[in-house]
Structures are given as C-alpha cells and as structure tokens.
Amino acid sequence: LESAEMVKHALNTYLATCISFSSELSDLSEMLGADMNEVVTGLKTDIRVSPKAPLLPGLGFAGGTLGRDIQSLKKLGASKKYKTKLMNAVYEINSDRLPYLLKKIKRVLPRLKGKTVGILGLTYKPGTSTLRRSMSLGLAALLKKNGVNVAAYDPKIHEKIKEAPYIQLAISPEHLAKLSDVLVLMTEWPDFKNLDPFMMPMNKKILIDTKNFLDKKVFEQGGFTVIGTGY
C-alpha cells in the first residue's frame, strides 16, 4: 500500500519537476537568445528523454493535482524530519511564474497603474469551465495589486466571477482588444486559433503569448508586436 501511494504522489511530482525544469530553461533561453522550442526538440532526440515529456515553455503547472501531490510528499518528509530540497525547489519555481510574467508585462507597459490588461482565457485549461487554481485568476489578482485594470474573455465564462468581481468580462476577443492596452493569452482555447488580428482594434497592438499558441507571423502581419515564451 505504501509503495502504491508513493507511486501516485511521485508520478505527479516527476511531471511537475519536468515542468519547473523547462520553466527555468525557458527563462534562460529568453535571456541568452536561444529558442526554447528548438531546445526541447534537441532534448527529445536523446533516447533517455521521453518524446511525451512535459518539457515546453510556459507558465508552469496549474490546477490542483500536481501541486497537491508535491505538498503531500513535502508534508510526509517534514513528518520524518526529512528536507525535501528538490520538491521545495520545484514548487518555488512554479510559484515564481506569475511574478516573472508581470515583469514581462511591465517591459511593454512601464507605467502599469491605470492601464488595462486583457486576459485571453480564464479557465486553468481548455475544455473546462473550472476556475479553481487558475493561473489567469492569479495573474488578475497580481495585476489588481499593482493598480492595473483587468479585462478578460473566456468562451466558457459569462457571469461575473465571485472571487474576482473586479475582472471586466468582454463579450468577444475583439471586444477585449478594444478594452485593453495589452493582451495576454493564458489559456489555449482552440477558438483562439481563428482570431483575425486585423479585426482586433487596439491603440498599440501588443500580445504576450504565454503558450506560444497563436501564429506569430499572422499576428505580426496584423500589426501586433508578439512576445512569446522561451525565445
């Protein structure tokens, strides 16, 4: 029974470790001029790295499962007075993802206070209406703390959000663009692949794509400055 429980917690902790590892590689790639997408392709040519390993640039892990299992192992270690140094680091790296994203937003909007950031996607992953432990809500709270107005569009969220009533919900991505000084893609909803950048009115067209999900060339042709992740 103990081994079965350990397998369950260890599997999700291993996946979280891969994600935090790729988060750090992604940040270093941005700083050093590498392209994390190419780095991942190179890593996966090694037979010791699974082609399905969750190594990709992004925001880290969200939802409840991975974080919960890391915390479970940390607590079990603490109960035995054992320092889970790697697990602590994995969790800490993930906790730093939103502050790092805020720094990116500040680079394009140096004077954040009073500006409006538009969030594309509120649910923690596409295909669900679940907002629990959503990175988007975490970003919204961080922006509000910095005096930023927050607008958002999500195809599954149409009612005011009880835990975040300050978020202004747009009726479409185009409406969101009109409200915003910068757009941040947070959830890779398939619908967003069909967005027409020419139909998205903004004073200064800036898009931060945290998932490298949208076609950068298409948006650049539509007048956008596109800031991706890991390159």
Side-chain angles (χ1 to χ4, degrees):
L1 180 61
E2 285 79 2
S3 296
E5 286 290 328
M6 181 62 81
V7 168
K8 192 267 183 187
H9 294 315
L11 176 59
N12 282 329
T13 300
Y14 171 73
L15 296 175
T17 301
C18 289
I19 293 169
S20 285
F21 173 61
S22 58
S23 291
E24 285 214 327
L25 282 183
S26 177
D27 294 349
L28 282 170
S29 293
E30 288 182 7
M31 296 171 192
L32 300 173
D35 185 330
M36 182 59 180
N37 295 294
E38 295 177 347
V39 172
V40 169
T41 300
L43 288 172
K44 290 185 177 181
T45 62
D46 191 306
I47 60 172
R48 294 167 295 182
V49 180
S50 167
K52 294 183 179 180
L55 297 171
L56 42 94
L59 280 176
F61 51 86
T65 307
L66 301 192
R68 183 178 61 240
D69 280 348
I70 291 175
Q71 293 287 54
S72 294
L73 287 181
K74 285 173 62 179
K75 287 176 182 176
L76 288 167
S79 71
K80 300 298 181 183
K81 297 182 180 179
Y82 179 79
K83 294 181 180 178
T84 52
K85 295 178 182 178
L86 177 61
M87 295 167 199
N88 294 345
V90 167
Y91 200 84
E92 182 183 350
I93 290 166
N94 199 65
S95 298
D96 286 341
R97 299 316 294 155
L98 289 180
Y100 182 77
L101 176 56
L102 181 64
K103 288 179 183 178
K104 273 189 168 183
I105 296 171
K106 283 182 176 179
R107 283 189 214 121
V108 295
L109 284 180
R111 296 180 181 178
L112 270 179
K113 194 170 183 179
K115 300 292 186 180
T116 300
V117 171
I119 298 176
L120 279 165
L122 287 169
T123 56
Y124 85 94
K125 67 177 183 178
T128 181
S129 59
T130 301
L131 293 170
R132 187 169 60 91
R133 299 187 186 179
S134 158
M135 282 279 203
S136 298
L137 293 191
L139 174 62
L142 193 57
L143 289 168
K144 183 177 182 292
K145 188 178 178 181
N146 282 268
V148 184
N149 301 315
V150 184
Y153 171 76
D154 189 287
K156 286 287 186 181
I157 307 299
H158 306 293
E159 304 291 336
K160 271 287 185 188
I161 302 166
K162 186 177 179 182
E163 58 269 41
Y166 53 84
I167 297 177
Q168 181 180 358
L169 293 179
I171 59 173
S172 68
E174 293 77 16
H175 180 215
L176 180 65
K178 190 175 182 179
L179 296 171
S180 306
D181 294 293
V182 61
L183 291 174
V184 182
L185 183 134
M186 294 289 287
T187 311
E188 57 271 51
W189 281 101
D191 299 6
F192 294 161
K193 281 286 190 183
N194 300 319
L195 291 177
D196 183 350
F198 290 96
M199 300 300 292
M200 302 180 76
M202 298 176 72
N203 290 330
K204 192 175 181 182
K205 293 186 171 185
I206 302 173
L207 168 69
I208 298 175
D209 187 348
T210 67
K211 301 297 179 72
N212 295 338
F213 181 68
L214 300 176
D215 191 319
K216 185 184 179 195
K217 289 183 179 178
V218 169
F219 272 79
E220 286 178 338
Q221 288 168 0
F224 274 84
T225 297
V226 180
I227 300 165
T229 303
Y231 62 84

